[in-house]
Amino acid sequence: MSEAATHKSGFVNIVGKPNVGKSTLMNAMVGEKLSIITSRAQTTRHRIQGILNAPEYQIIFSDTPGILDPSYKLQETMLKAARSALVDADILVYVTEAGDLPDPEDPFLKKVAGMKIPILLVINKIDTSRQDRVMQEIEAWDLQLPKAEKIPISALNNFNVEFVFQRILDYLPESPPYYPKDALTDKSERFIAGEMIREKILLQY
């Protein structure tokens, strides 16, 4: 079999509400700090791609701004960035957190439910809840996203992150790489440096 036929490559887009741990999860899987992390909602303002390479695969992760009802222009732009993640994904990772139940009337969630690609529903921060409550929440998500695979994790403690990564590899389509094999992100060093500075400002002020 040729290298082109056996190589896997695809776009894995990470979506969810603000502060559920999307950036923490992407950084953990890429192995580099590309998305800044603070306790402040809407820390991520752009779609940031982290590219993970191995001889047999290339995964292009995309961290997106949190989903919310926009109240000003910047939030409208951020919501557009999150919505665009539903268009070009090979695999969708929908991140929620323990204690957050689905809203049946959420239009974004309805769009996710209608997607034909593999969906991983990742319930983060389970270290802050009890197992019986997490199981009840999984049942609630089953009603809203019946085709999604539900995976409880703690991105902060790196619990079950490796399992999420393995499931991504399982679903990844066969394809040649989209980027050079030494690429880490689609963003410039200047952009990443600016984000790191912004993170420190948010943490200090």
Side-chain angles (χ1 to χ4, degrees), residues 26-197:
M26 188 184 86
N27 290 343
M29 288 194 285
V30 174
E32 297 284 347
K33 186 173 182 179
L34 297 176
S35 283
I36 62 174
I37 302 166
T38 75
S39 58
R40 183 188 177 95
Q42 301 168 252
T43 296
T44 301
R45 293 184 173 183
H46 310 269
R47 282 186 65 176
I48 299 175
Q49 288 185 343
I51 304 169
L52 184 63
N53 290 290
E56 67 276 15
Y57 64 78
Q58 181 180 83
I59 307 174
I60 303 101
F61 291 100
S62 184
D63 183 21
T64 62
I67 305 158
L68 76 174
D69 292 326
S71 56
Y72 50 88
K73 285 293 183 181
L74 176 60
Q75 288 185 342
E76 289 178 8
T77 301
M78 292 163 63
L79 182 58
K80 286 180 182 177
R83 284 174 175 164
S84 69
L86 303 185
V87 178
D88 57 5
D90 293 302
I91 301 166
L92 190 76
V93 178
Y94 190 104
V95 183
T96 183
E97 64 181 355
D100 186 21
L101 295 174
D103 176 6
E105 302 305 317
D106 183 350
F108 188 90
L109 208 52
K110 288 181 179 179
K111 289 183 179 180
V112 172
M115 296 179 72
K116 306 300 183 185
I117 62 171
I119 301 171
L120 301 179
L121 188 283
V122 174
I123 302 175
N124 193 21
K125 304 181 185 180
I126 63 167
D127 51 296
T128 64
S129 185
R130 297 201 318 258
Q131 184 175 358
D132 59 331
R133 288 183 179 175
V134 172
M135 295 307 296
Q136 291 173 0
E137 289 164 16
I138 289 175
E139 291 177 3
W141 282 103
D142 269 331
L143 296 175
Q144 190 71 21
L145 297 175
K147 293 184 289 186
E149 182 175 348
K150 287 79 180 176
I151 307 174
I153 73 162
S154 172
L156 184 64
N157 297 322
N158 211 29
F159 174 75
N160 250 4
V161 172
E162 181 61 32
F163 181 75
V164 174
F165 179 75
Q166 186 56 55
R167 296 303 290 146
I168 288 171
L169 280 182
D170 292 340
Y171 287 123
L172 204 66
E174 287 190 4
S175 170
Y178 292 94
Y179 292 92
K181 277 293 200 169
D182 59 351
L184 178 62
T185 180
D186 65 327
K187 300 298 184 184
S188 66
E189 290 184 8
R190 186 185 187 93
F191 176 87
I192 297 298
E195 286 292 277
M196 296 302 175
I197 293 170

